[in-house]
Coordinates of all heavy atoms in Angstrom, one line a residue:
E1 N 187.9 150.1 69.7 CA 189.2 150.6 69.2 C 189.9 151.4 70.3 O 189.3 151.9 71.2 CB 188.9 151.7 68.1 CG 188.4 151.1 66.8 CD 189.4 150.7 65.9 OE1 190.5 151.3 65.8 OE2 189.2 149.6 65.2
D2 N 191.2 151.3 70.2 CA 192.0 152.0 71.2 C 192.1 153.5 70.8 O 191.9 153.8 69.7 CB 193.4 151.4 71.2 CG 193.5 150.0 71.8 OD1 192.6 149.7 72.6 OD2 194.4 149.3 71.5
F3 N 192.4 154.3 71.8 CA 192.7 155.7 71.6 C 194.0 155.9 70.9 O 194.9 155.1 71.2 CB 192.6 156.5 72.9 CG 191.2 156.6 73.4 CD1 190.9 156.0 74.6 CD2 190.3 157.5 72.8 CE1 189.6 156.2 75.2 CE2 189.1 157.6 73.4 CZ 188.7 157.0 74.5
P4 N 194.2 157.0 70.2 CA 195.6 157.3 69.7 C 196.5 157.5 70.8 O 196.2 157.9 71.9 CB 195.4 158.5 68.9 CG 193.9 158.6 68.6 CD 193.2 157.9 69.7
E5 N 197.8 157.3 70.5 CA 198.8 157.4 71.6 C 198.8 158.8 72.2 O 199.1 158.9 73.4 CB 200.2 157.0 71.0 CG 201.3 157.0 72.1 CD 201.1 155.9 73.1 OE1 200.5 154.8 72.8 OE2 201.5 156.1 74.2
S6 N 198.6 159.8 71.4 CA 198.6 161.2 72.0 C 197.5 161.4 73.0 O 197.7 162.1 74.0 CB 198.4 162.2 70.8 OG 197.2 162.1 70.2
I7 N 196.4 160.7 72.8 CA 195.3 160.8 73.8 C 195.6 160.1 75.1 O 195.5 160.6 76.2 CB 193.9 160.3 73.2 CG1 193.5 161.0 71.9 CG2 192.8 160.3 74.3 CD1 193.1 162.4 72.1
I8 N 196.2 158.9 74.9 CA 196.6 158.1 76.1 C 197.7 158.8 76.9 O 197.6 158.9 78.1 CB 197.1 156.7 75.6 CG1 196.0 155.9 75.0 CG2 197.7 155.9 76.8 CD1 196.4 154.7 74.3
T9 N 198.7 159.4 76.2 CA 199.7 160.2 76.9 C 199.1 161.4 77.6 O 199.5 161.6 78.8 CB 200.8 160.7 75.9 OG1 201.3 159.5 75.2 CG2 201.9 161.5 76.5
S10 N 198.2 162.1 77.0 CA 197.6 163.3 77.6 C 196.8 162.9 78.8 O 196.8 163.5 79.9 CB 196.7 164.0 76.6 OG 197.4 164.5 75.5
M11 N 196.1 161.7 78.7 CA 195.3 161.2 79.9 C 196.3 160.8 81.0 O 196.0 161.0 82.2 CB 194.4 160.0 79.5 CG 193.3 160.5 78.5 SD 192.4 159.1 77.8 CE 191.5 158.6 79.3
R12 N 197.4 160.2 80.7 CA 198.4 159.8 81.7 C 198.9 161.1 82.4 O 199.0 161.1 83.6 CB 199.5 159.0 81.0 CG 200.4 158.3 81.9 CD 201.3 157.3 81.3 NE 201.9 157.7 80.0 CZ 201.6 157.1 78.8 NH1 200.8 156.0 78.8 NH2 202.2 157.5 77.7
I13 N 199.2 162.1 81.6 CA 199.7 163.4 82.2 C 198.6 164.0 83.1 O 198.8 164.4 84.3 CB 200.1 164.4 81.1 CG1 201.3 163.9 80.4 CG2 200.3 165.8 81.7 CD1 201.7 164.7 79.2
Y14 N 197.3 164.0 82.6 CA 196.2 164.5 83.4 C 196.1 163.8 84.7 O 195.9 164.5 85.8 CB 194.9 164.4 82.6 CG 193.7 164.8 83.4 CD1 193.4 166.2 83.4 CD2 192.9 164.0 84.0 CE1 192.3 166.6 84.1 CE2 191.8 164.4 84.8 CZ 191.5 165.7 84.8 OH 190.4 166.2 85.5
N15 N 196.2 162.5 84.7 CA 196.1 161.7 86.0 C 197.2 161.9 86.9 O 197.1 161.7 88.1 CB 195.8 160.2 85.7 CG 194.5 160.0 85.1 OD1 193.5 160.6 85.4 ND2 194.4 159.1 84.1
A16 N 198.4 162.4 86.4 CA 199.5 162.6 87.2 C 199.5 164.0 87.9 O 200.2 164.1 88.9 CB 200.8 162.4 86.4
L17 N 198.8 164.9 87.4 CA 198.6 166.2 87.9 C 197.9 166.1 89.2 O 196.9 165.3 89.4 CB 197.9 167.2 87.0 CG 198.7 167.5 85.7 CD1 197.7 168.2 84.7 CD2 199.9 168.4 86.0
G18 N 198.2 167.0 90.2 CA 197.5 167.0 91.5 C 196.2 167.7 91.3 O 195.9 168.5 90.4
N19 N 195.3 167.4 92.3 CA 194.0 168.0 92.3 C 193.9 169.2 93.2 O 194.6 169.2 94.2 CB 192.9 167.0 92.8 CG 192.7 165.8 91.9 OD1 192.9 166.0 90.7 ND2 192.4 164.7 92.4
K20 N 193.1 170.2 92.8 CA 192.9 171.3 93.7 C 191.4 171.2 94.2 O 190.5 171.1 93.4 CB 193.1 172.7 92.9 CG 194.5 172.9 92.5 CD 194.8 174.3 92.0 CE 194.0 174.7 90.8 NZ 194.3 176.0 90.3
L21 N 191.3 171.3 95.5 CA 190.0 171.2 96.1 C 189.7 172.4 97.0 O 190.6 173.0 97.6 CB 189.9 169.9 97.0 CG 190.2 168.6 96.3 CD1 190.3 167.5 97.3 CD2 189.1 168.3 95.3
A22 N 188.4 172.8 97.1 CA 188.0 173.9 98.0 C 186.9 173.3 98.8 O 186.0 172.5 98.3 CB 187.5 175.1 97.2
A23 N 186.9 173.7 100.1 CA 185.9 173.1 101.0 C 184.5 173.2 100.6 O 183.8 172.1 100.6 CB 186.1 173.8 102.4
D24 N 184.0 174.3 100.3 CA 182.5 174.4 99.9 C 182.3 174.2 98.4 O 181.1 174.3 98.0 CB 182.0 175.8 100.4 CG 182.0 175.9 101.9 OD1 182.0 174.8 102.6 OD2 181.9 177.0 102.4
I25 N 183.3 174.1 97.7 CA 183.1 174.1 96.2 C 183.4 172.7 95.6 O 182.8 172.2 94.7 CB 184.0 175.1 95.5 CG1 183.7 176.5 96.0 CG2 183.9 175.0 94.0 CD1 184.7 177.5 95.5
G26 N 184.3 172.0 96.3 CA 184.7 170.6 95.8 C 185.9 170.8 94.8 O 186.8 171.6 95.0
Y27 N 185.9 170.0 93.8 CA 187.0 169.9 92.9 C 187.0 171.2 92.0 O 186.0 171.6 91.4 CB 186.9 168.7 92.0 CG 187.9 168.6 90.9 CD1 189.2 168.2 91.2 CD2 187.6 168.8 89.6 CE1 190.2 168.1 90.2 CE2 188.6 168.7 88.6 CZ 189.8 168.4 88.9 OH 190.8 168.3 87.9
I28 N 188.2 171.9 92.0 CA 188.2 173.1 91.2 C 189.3 173.0 90.1 O 189.6 174.0 89.5 CB 188.5 174.4 92.1 CG1 189.8 174.2 92.9 CG2 187.3 174.6 93.0 CD1 190.2 175.4 93.7
G29 N 189.8 171.9 89.9 CA 190.7 171.7 88.7 C 192.0 171.1 89.1 O 192.3 170.8 90.3
K30 N 192.8 170.9 88.1 CA 194.1 170.3 88.3 C 195.1 171.4 88.7 O 195.0 172.6 88.3 CB 194.6 169.6 87.1 CG 193.9 168.3 86.8 CD 194.2 167.3 87.8 CE 193.7 165.9 87.5 NZ 194.1 164.9 88.4
D31 N 196.2 171.0 89.4 CA 197.3 171.9 89.7 C 198.3 171.7 88.5 O 198.9 170.6 88.4 CB 197.9 171.5 91.0 CG 199.1 172.3 91.4 OD1 199.5 173.2 90.7 OD2 199.6 172.1 92.5
F32 N 198.5 172.7 87.7 CA 199.4 172.6 86.6 C 200.9 173.0 86.8 O 201.6 173.1 85.9 CB 198.8 173.5 85.4 CG 197.5 173.0 84.9 CD1 196.3 173.5 85.3 CD2 197.5 172.0 83.9 CE1 195.1 173.1 84.8 CE2 196.3 171.6 83.4 CZ 195.1 172.1 83.9
E33 N 201.2 173.1 88.1 CA 202.6 173.5 88.4 C 203.6 172.5 87.8 O 204.7 173.0 87.4 CB 202.8 173.5 89.9 CG 204.1 174.1 90.4 CD 204.1 174.3 91.8 OE1 203.1 174.6 92.5 OE2 205.2 174.3 92.4
N34 N 203.4 171.2 87.7 CA 204.4 170.3 87.3 C 204.1 169.9 85.8 O 204.7 168.9 85.3 CB 204.3 169.0 88.1 CG 204.8 169.2 89.5 OD1 205.7 170.0 89.7 ND2 204.2 168.6 90.5
L35 N 203.3 170.6 85.1 CA 203.0 170.3 83.7 C 204.2 170.1 82.8 O 204.4 169.2 82.1 CB 202.0 171.2 83.1 CG 201.4 170.9 81.8 CD1 200.7 169.5 81.8 CD2 200.5 171.9 81.3
D36 N 205.1 171.1 82.9 CA 206.3 171.1 82.1 C 207.2 169.9 82.4 O 207.7 169.2 81.4 CB 207.1 172.4 82.2 CG 206.6 173.5 81.5 OD1 205.8 173.3 80.4 OD2 206.8 174.7 81.9
L37 N 207.3 169.5 83.6 CA 208.1 168.4 84.0 C 207.4 167.1 83.4 O 208.1 166.2 82.9 CB 208.1 168.2 85.5 CG 208.7 166.9 86.1 CD1 210.2 166.8 85.7 CD2 208.6 166.9 87.6
L38 N 206.1 167.0 83.5 CA 205.4 165.8 83.0 C 205.5 165.8 81.4 O 205.7 164.7 80.9 CB 204.0 165.8 83.4 CG 203.8 165.7 84.9 CD1 202.3 165.9 85.3 CD2 204.1 164.2 85.3
F39 N 205.5 166.9 80.8 CA 205.7 166.9 79.3 C 207.1 166.3 79.0 O 207.2 165.5 78.1 CB 205.6 168.3 78.7 CG 204.2 168.8 78.5 CD1 204.0 170.2 78.5 CD2 203.1 168.0 78.3 CE1 202.7 170.7 78.2 CE2 201.9 168.4 78.1 CZ 201.6 169.8 78.0
R40 N 208.1 166.8 79.7 CA 209.5 166.3 79.5 C 209.6 164.8 79.8 O 210.2 164.0 79.0 CB 210.5 167.0 80.4 CG 210.8 168.4 79.8 CD 212.0 169.0 80.5 NE 212.0 169.0 81.9 CZ 211.5 170.0 82.7 NH1 211.0 171.1 82.1 NH2 211.6 169.9 84.0
L41 N 209.0 164.3 80.9 CA 209.0 162.9 81.2 C 208.3 162.1 80.1 O 208.7 160.9 79.9 CB 208.3 162.7 82.6 CG 209.1 163.2 83.8 CD1 208.3 163.0 85.0 CD2 210.4 162.4 83.9
E42 N 207.3 162.6 79.5 CA 206.6 161.9 78.5 C 207.2 162.1 77.1 O 206.7 161.6 76.1 CB 205.1 162.3 78.4 CG 204.3 161.8 79.6 CD 204.1 160.3 79.6 OE1 204.2 159.6 78.6 OE2 203.7 159.8 80.7
G43 N 208.2 162.9 77.0 CA 208.9 163.1 75.7 C 208.2 164.1 74.8 O 208.4 164.1 73.6
I44 N 207.3 164.9 75.4 CA 206.6 165.9 74.6 C 207.4 167.2 74.6 O 207.5 167.9 75.6 CB 205.2 166.2 75.1 CG1 204.4 164.9 75.0 CG2 204.5 167.3 74.3 CD1 203.0 165.0 75.7
E45 N 208.0 167.5 73.4 CA 209.0 168.6 73.4 C 208.5 169.8 72.5 O 208.7 170.9 72.7 CB 210.3 168.2 73.1 CG 210.9 167.3 74.1 CD 212.3 166.7 73.8 OE1 212.8 167.1 72.7 OE2 212.8 165.9 74.6
N46 N 207.9 169.4 71.3 CA 207.5 170.5 70.4 C 206.2 171.1 70.8 O 205.3 170.5 71.4 CB 207.6 170.0 68.9 CG 206.3 169.6 68.3 OD1 205.2 170.0 68.6 ND2 206.4 168.7 67.3
N47 N 206.1 172.4 70.5 CA 205.0 173.2 70.9 C 203.6 172.7 70.4 O 202.6 172.8 71.1 CB 205.2 174.7 70.6 CG 206.2 175.3 71.5 OD1 206.5 174.8 72.6 ND2 206.8 176.4 71.0
L48 N 203.6 172.2 69.2 CA 202.4 171.7 68.6 C 201.9 170.5 69.4 O 200.7 170.4 69.7 CB 202.6 171.3 67.1 CG 201.3 170.9 66.4 CD1 200.3 172.1 66.3 CD2 201.7 170.5 64.9
E49 N 202.8 169.6 69.8 CA 202.4 168.4 70.6 C 201.9 168.9 72.0 O 201.0 168.4 72.5 CB 203.6 167.5 70.8 CG 203.9 166.7 69.5 CD 205.1 165.9 69.7 OE1 205.9 166.1 70.6 OE2 205.3 165.0 68.8
K50 N 202.6 169.9 72.6 CA 202.2 170.4 73.9 C 200.8 171.1 73.8 O 200.0 170.9 74.7 CB 203.2 171.5 74.4 CG 204.5 170.9 74.9 CD 205.4 172.0 75.3 CE 206.8 171.4 75.8 NZ 207.7 172.4 76.2
D51 N 200.6 171.8 72.8 CA 199.3 172.5 72.6 C 198.2 171.4 72.5 O 197.1 171.6 73.1 CB 199.2 173.4 71.4 CG 200.0 174.6 71.5 OD1 200.4 175.0 72.7 OD2 200.3 175.3 70.5
W52 N 198.4 170.4 71.7 CA 197.4 169.3 71.5 C 197.1 168.6 72.9 O 196.0 168.4 73.3 CB 197.9 168.3 70.5 CG 197.0 167.1 70.3 CD1 197.4 165.8 70.5 CD2 195.6 167.0 70.0 NE1 196.4 165.0 70.3 CE2 195.2 165.7 70.0 CE3 194.6 168.0 69.8 CZ2 193.9 165.2 69.7 CZ3 193.3 167.6 69.5 CH2 193.0 166.2 69.5
A53 N 198.2 168.3 73.6 CA 198.1 167.6 74.9 C 197.4 168.5 75.9 O 196.5 168.0 76.6 CB 199.4 167.2 75.4
L54 N 197.7 169.8 75.9 CA 197.0 170.7 76.8 C 195.6 170.9 76.5 O 194.7 170.9 77.4 CB 197.7 172.1 76.8 CG 197.3 173.1 77.8 CD1 197.4 172.6 79.2 CD2 198.0 174.4 77.7
E55 N 195.2 170.9 75.2 CA 193.8 170.9 74.8 C 193.0 169.7 75.4 O 191.9 169.9 75.9 CB 193.7 171.0 73.3 CG 192.3 171.3 72.8 CD 192.3 171.5 71.3 OE1 193.2 172.0 70.7 OE2 191.2 171.2 70.7
I56 N 193.6 168.6 75.3 CA 192.9 167.4 75.8 C 192.9 167.4 77.3 O 191.8 167.2 77.9 CB 193.7 166.1 75.4 CG1 193.6 165.9 73.9 CG2 193.2 164.9 76.1 CD1 194.7 165.0 73.3
I57 N 193.9 167.8 78.0 CA 194.0 168.0 79.4 C 192.9 169.0 79.9 O 192.2 168.7 80.9 CB 195.4 168.3 79.9 CG1 196.3 167.2 79.7 CG2 195.4 168.8 81.4 CD1 197.8 167.6 79.8
L58 N 192.8 170.1 79.3 CA 191.8 171.1 79.7 C 190.4 170.6 79.4 O 189.5 171.0 80.2 CB 192.1 172.5 78.9 CG 193.4 173.2 79.3 CD1 193.6 174.4 78.5 CD2 193.3 173.6 80.8
Y59 N 190.2 169.9 78.3 CA 188.9 169.3 78.1 C 188.5 168.4 79.2 O 187.3 168.4 79.8 CB 188.8 168.6 76.8 CG 187.5 167.8 76.5 CD1 186.4 168.5 76.1 CD2 187.4 166.5 76.9 CE1 185.2 167.9 75.9 CE2 186.2 165.8 76.7 CZ 185.1 166.5 76.2 OH 183.9 165.9 76.1
L60 N 189.4 167.5 79.6 CA 189.1 166.6 80.7 C 188.9 167.3 82.0 O 187.9 167.0 82.8 CB 190.3 165.6 80.9 CG 190.5 164.6 79.8 CD1 191.9 163.9 80.0 CD2 189.4 163.6 79.8
D61 N 189.7 168.3 82.2 CA 189.5 169.1 83.5 C 188.2 169.8 83.5 O 187.5 169.8 84.6 CB 190.7 170.1 83.6 CG 191.0 170.5 85.0 OD1 190.8 169.6 85.9 OD2 191.4 171.6 85.3
S62 N 187.8 170.4 82.4 CA 186.5 171.1 82.4 C 185.3 170.2 82.6 O 184.4 170.5 83.3 CB 186.3 171.9 81.2 OG 186.2 171.1 80.0
Y63 N 185.4 168.9 82.1 CA 184.4 167.9 82.3 C 184.3 167.6 83.8 O 183.2 167.5 84.3 CB 184.7 166.7 81.5 CG 183.8 165.5 81.7 CD1 182.6 165.5 81.1 CD2 184.1 164.5 82.6 CE1 181.7 164.4 81.3 CE2 183.3 163.5 82.9 CZ 182.0 163.4 82.2 OH 181.2 162.4 82.5
Y64 N 185.4 167.3 84.4 CA 185.4 166.9 85.8 C 185.0 168.0 86.8 O 184.5 167.8 87.8 CB 186.7 166.2 86.2 CG 186.8 164.8 85.6 CD1 187.8 164.6 84.6 CD2 185.9 163.8 85.9 CE1 187.9 163.3 84.0 CE2 186.0 162.6 85.3 CZ 187.0 162.3 84.4 OH 187.0 161.1 83.8
I65 N 185.4 169.3 86.4 CA 185.0 170.4 87.2 C 183.4 170.5 87.2 O 182.8 170.7 88.2 CB 185.6 171.7 86.7 CG1 187.1 171.7 87.1 CG2 184.9 172.9 87.4 CD1 187.9 172.8 86.4
A66 N 182.9 170.4 86.0 CA 181.4 170.5 85.9 C 180.7 169.4 86.6 O 179.7 169.6 87.3 CB 181.0 170.5 84.4
E67 N 181.3 168.2 86.5 CA 180.7 167.0 87.2 C 180.7 167.3 88.7 O 179.7 167.0 89.4 CB 181.5 165.8 86.8 CG 180.9 164.5 87.5 CD 181.7 163.3 87.1 OE1 182.9 163.2 87.4 OE2 181.1 162.4 86.4
S68 N 181.8 167.8 89.2 CA 182.0 168.1 90.6 C 180.9 169.1 91.1 O 180.3 169.0 92.1 CB 183.4 168.5 91.0 OG 183.5 168.9 92.3
Q69 N 180.8 170.1 90.3 CA 179.8 171.2 90.6 C 178.4 170.6 90.7 O 177.6 171.0 91.6 CB 179.9 172.3 89.6 CG 181.2 173.1 89.7 CD 181.4 174.2 88.6 OE1 180.7 174.1 87.6 NE2 182.3 175.1 88.8
Q70 N 178.0 169.8 89.8 CA 176.7 169.2 89.8 C 176.5 168.3 91.0 O 175.4 168.4 91.6 CB 176.5 168.3 88.5 CG 176.4 169.1 87.2 CD 176.4 168.3 86.0 OE1 176.6 167.1 86.1 NE2 176.1 168.9 84.8
K71 N 177.5 167.5 91.4 CA 177.4 166.7 92.6 C 177.3 167.6 93.8 O 176.4 167.3 94.7 CB 178.6 165.8 92.7 CG 178.6 164.6 91.7 CD 179.8 163.8 91.9 CE 179.8 162.7 90.9 NZ 181.0 161.8 91.0
M72 N 178.1 168.6 93.9 CA 178.0 169.5 95.1 C 176.6 170.2 95.2 O 176.0 170.3 96.2 CB 179.1 170.6 95.0 CG 180.5 170.0 95.3 SD 180.7 169.3 96.9 CE 180.8 170.8 97.9
K73 N 176.1 170.7 94.0 CA 174.8 171.3 94.0 C 173.7 170.3 94.5 O 172.8 170.7 95.2 CB 174.5 171.8 92.6 CG 173.1 172.6 92.5 CD 172.9 173.0 91.1 CE 171.6 173.8 91.0 NZ 170.4 173.3 91.8
A74 N 173.8 169.1 94.0 CA 172.8 168.1 94.4 C 172.9 167.8 95.9 O 171.8 167.7 96.6 CB 173.1 166.8 93.7
E75 N 174.1 167.8 96.5 CA 174.2 167.6 97.9 C 173.7 168.8 98.7 O 173.0 168.6 99.7 CB 175.7 167.4 98.3 CG 176.3 166.1 97.8 CD 175.5 164.9 98.5 OE1 175.2 164.9 99.7 OE2 175.3 163.9 97.7
F76 N 174.0 170.1 98.2 CA 173.4 171.2 98.9 C 171.8 171.2 98.8 O 171.2 171.6 99.7 CB 174.0 172.5 98.3 CG 175.4 172.8 98.7 CD1 176.3 173.1 97.8 CD2 175.7 172.9 100.1 CE1 177.6 173.4 98.2 CE2 177.0 173.2 100.5 CZ 177.9 173.5 99.6
D77 N 171.3 170.8 97.7 CA 169.9 170.8 97.5 C 169.3 169.8 98.5 O 168.2 170.0 99.0 CB 169.5 170.4 96.1 CG 169.8 171.5 95.1 OD1 170.0 172.7 95.5 OD2 169.8 171.3 93.9
K78 N 169.9 168.6 98.7 CA 169.5 167.6 99.6 C 169.4 168.2 101.0 O 168.5 168.0 101.8 CB 170.4 166.4 99.6 CG 170.1 165.4 98.5 CD 171.0 164.2 98.8 CE 171.1 163.3 97.6 NZ 172.0 162.2 97.8
M79 N 170.5 169.0 101.4 CA 170.6 169.5 102.7 C 169.5 170.6 102.9 O 169.0 170.7 104.0 CB 172.0 170.2 103.0 CG 173.0 169.1 103.1 SD 174.7 169.6 103.4 CE 174.8 171.3 103.1
K80 N 169.2 171.4 101.9 CA 168.1 172.4 102.0 C 166.8 171.8 102.3 O 165.9 172.4 102.9 CB 168.1 173.2 100.7 CG 169.2 174.2 100.6 CD 169.0 175.0 99.3 CE 170.2 175.9 99.0 NZ 170.0 176.6 97.7
K81 N 166.5 170.6 101.7 CA 165.2 170.0 101.9 C 165.0 169.4 103.3 O 163.8 169.2 103.7 CB 165.1 168.8 100.8 CG 164.9 169.3 99.4 CD 164.8 168.1 98.5 CE 164.6 168.7 97.0 NZ 164.5 167.6 96.1
K82 N 166.0 169.2 104.0 CA 165.9 168.6 105.4 C 165.5 169.7 106.4 O 165.6 170.8 106.4 CB 167.2 168.0 105.8 CG 167.5 166.7 105.0 CD 168.7 166.0 105.5 CE 168.9 164.7 104.7 NZ 170.1 164.0 105.2

């Protein structure tokens, strides 16, 4: 089954946001500076739609932050063993 259009739009916005990276930490999240512009470009104007899209975006972001932290920890653990 396909995802609902609101999920697809939120994922499109998420992918359009820039990434924030830190040298020793890795991925630390999305840069939300252009979020309002992306909402306008996608035609998301009412606050309920924005809240729903933001909830999806934050869920995706927290998932990828956790994944990055796990990968960085695994790399540090490998370096400690050497």
Side-chain angles (χ1 to χ4, degrees):
E1 290 273 324
D2 291 336
F3 287 111
E5 188 62 34
S6 63
I7 302 290
I8 294 169
T9 300
S10 298
M11 292 173 72
R12 196 167 38 243
I13 291 170
Y14 177 82
N15 289 324
L17 293 168
N19 294 331
K20 295 192 301 186
L21 303 169
D24 292 341
I25 300 171
Y27 176 74
I28 57 173
K30 287 292 188 179
D31 181 358
F32 291 97
E33 188 171 331
N34 292 324
L35 187 59
D36 284 333
L37 172 64
L38 293 169
F39 280 158
R40 285 195 306 271
L41 290 173
E42 290 290 344
I44 299 174
E45 295 177 4
N46 98 28
N47 287 337
L48 187 60
E49 290 175 342
K50 286 181 183 179
D51 288 346
W52 173 240
L54 186 58
E55 189 172 329
I56 295 163
I57 291 165
L58 292 175
Y59 173 82
L60 291 169
D61 206 31
S62 66
Y63 174 83
Y64 288 114
I65 290 169
E67 182 179 66
S68 174
Q69 290 172 345
Q70 289 172 351
K71 286 180 182 178
M72 290 296 288
K73 183 180 182 322
E75 291 297 320
F76 283 129
D77 290 346
K78 278 186 197 176
M79 291 183 343
K80 284 182 188 178
K81 290 180 182 180
K82 290 184 179 183

